Structure formats: structure tokens, C-alpha cells
Amino acid sequence: SQKIEQNSEALNIQEGKTATLTCNYTNYSPAYLQWYRQDPGRGPVFLLLIRENEKEKRKERLKVTFDTTLKQSLFHITASQPADSATYLCALCTDTGRRALTFGSGTRLQVQP
Amino acid sequence: DAGITQSPRHKVTETGTPVTLRCHQTENHRYMYWYRQDPGHGLRLIHYSYGVKDTDKGEVSDGYSVSRSKTEDFLLTLESATSSQTSVYFCAISESMASGDHNEQFFGPGTRLTVL
């Protein structure tokens, strides 16, 4: 069966450290993968997209890697800040024509000051 | 929030009653989506639309129907609400392929529905 798993429900780190979140998938061949941030009581907000032929993408303190052999994406936040505390969702697109996404259940990141 | 509104924002209803949730956008985006979000399940796609009067089912479409008679409005209807449909419902929109590279979805603020 198809499955998307994010490494843990919650991740606690100290301010200034690098947070690394994992997204693993099985039985998918995604054309691209996206990462979203969700704050309590709000809708998700898009952060980054990485395509199947790309290995790495960066945006400010964010970095995403995509390994289609391992079927895994890693999401890094460097020099983390308390304001980075949120739930982070990965999402796969396996049908670019329909542009429908399948989401993981998310990882809640807590950055301690 | 990218010009997306959802109404109502909160609703409490009783089992067996019909419920309609509305998503309205001012971005003229072609694609619109309805998701539900439940603890432990993340966001799950209910239905989506790729144009006026063009809709398709997502992974959890049973018990739900949708309609899109105008570009800006996408309605989600629970014909006979059940307690298992208690959830937070999010609408999302996405722009056409020609106008962007990111293909990201923009989400509304959500509707919290409780079915007693």
C-alpha cells in the first residue's frame, strides 16, 4: 500500500541548532515533493518544492534534499529559532495533471530558547 | 491568506442534518481542493476541482459531494452528517501551470465542524 511517513510526531531542539525532519514514502513515484509549515489553528503555508530530478533546494535557512532511490526527503532548518516552532508537513504529487497532493501526518517541531 | 475565505469558520450540527461549507477565492485560480485534517491522519483529500463544473474524488470522498458553478466558489456538502465527519476542513487553491513554477497550494483558514 502507499504510505508517507514523517519521522516522529514531535521533535524538540535547542535554539541555534539544526533541525532535521524526515519524510519517507513507499509505493509512490512522485513528480515532486513539497514542504509546508502549519501553525496551530491555521492552514498550511508552502515553504519549498523539490522535483524528482533535483537533489537539493535551499531557501534562506531552509534546505530540502530528495533521494528517489531511498524514497526519502530531508528538511533542514539551520540556526533554528523559537519562531520556527510549528508543525511541518511533507506532501507528494504523483499526478501532475490533476495537481493533487498526498500529505504526511506532520512533525511538530519545538525550538527551546 | 492569498484571498481565500471559508464559511462558516465554526459549526456544530446534529447527526443526520445536511451541511454545506463554502470556499471563496479572489485569485482566479483554476484548481480548488477540499481536505479534512484529523489527529494522526494529517490532511486527506476529499474532492478537488480543475475547472468550473469539473470535479473529481479524492481519497476520502464517501459521504461528501461538491459543486463548482463559478471559478471563485467551491462548495462541500455533507448530505447527512455523521459523527465521523467531525473534523477541521481546509480549502486550498492552486494556480494554473502556465503562471508559476512552484505549483504550491494556498490554504484557507479552515472550518471546524462538530457533528453531535
Side-chain angles (χ1 to χ4, degrees), chain B:
Chain B
D1 285 326
I4 309 169
T5 56
Q6 293 184 230
S7 58
R9 294 293 314 279
H10 301 272
K11 186 170 182 67
V12 180
T13 191
E14 293 188 351
T15 298
T17 59
V19 176
T20 295
L21 307 183
R22 180 184 184 230
C23 177
H24 179 78
Q25 60 145 329
T26 57
E27 305 295 323
N28 200 35
H29 284 0
R30 176 180 174 186
Y31 298 86
M32 298 186 76
Y33 311 83
W34 276 108
Y35 294 90
R36 60 178 290 174
Q37 187 171 38
D38 306 286
H41 289 279
L43 284 159
R44 291 182 291 175
L45 183 64
I46 305 171
H47 282 281
Y48 60 99
S49 170
Y50 43 95
V52 173
K53 298 193 191 310
D54 292 323
T55 65
D56 205 349
K57 296 179 180 180
E59 64 176 297
V60 291
S61 59
D62 287 349
Y64 302 95
S65 63
V66 290
S67 66
R68 190 169 178 201
S69 58
K70 299 184 290 185
T71 298
E72 56 267 35
D73 289 324
F74 193 32
L75 304 181
L76 177 71
T77 297
L78 292 66
E79 300 291 346
S80 178
T82 67
S83 58
S84 65
Q85 293 176 312
T86 292
S87 186
V88 179
Y89 292 85
F90 287 100
C91 173
I93 64 175
S94 183
E95 60 191 21
S96 63
M97 295 291 283
S99 60
D101 177 60
H102 295 293
N103 303 332
E104 70 263 38
Q105 293 187 7
F106 300 94
F107 285 80
T111 294
R112 183 172 295 276
L113 175 67
T114 302
V115 184
L116 302 175

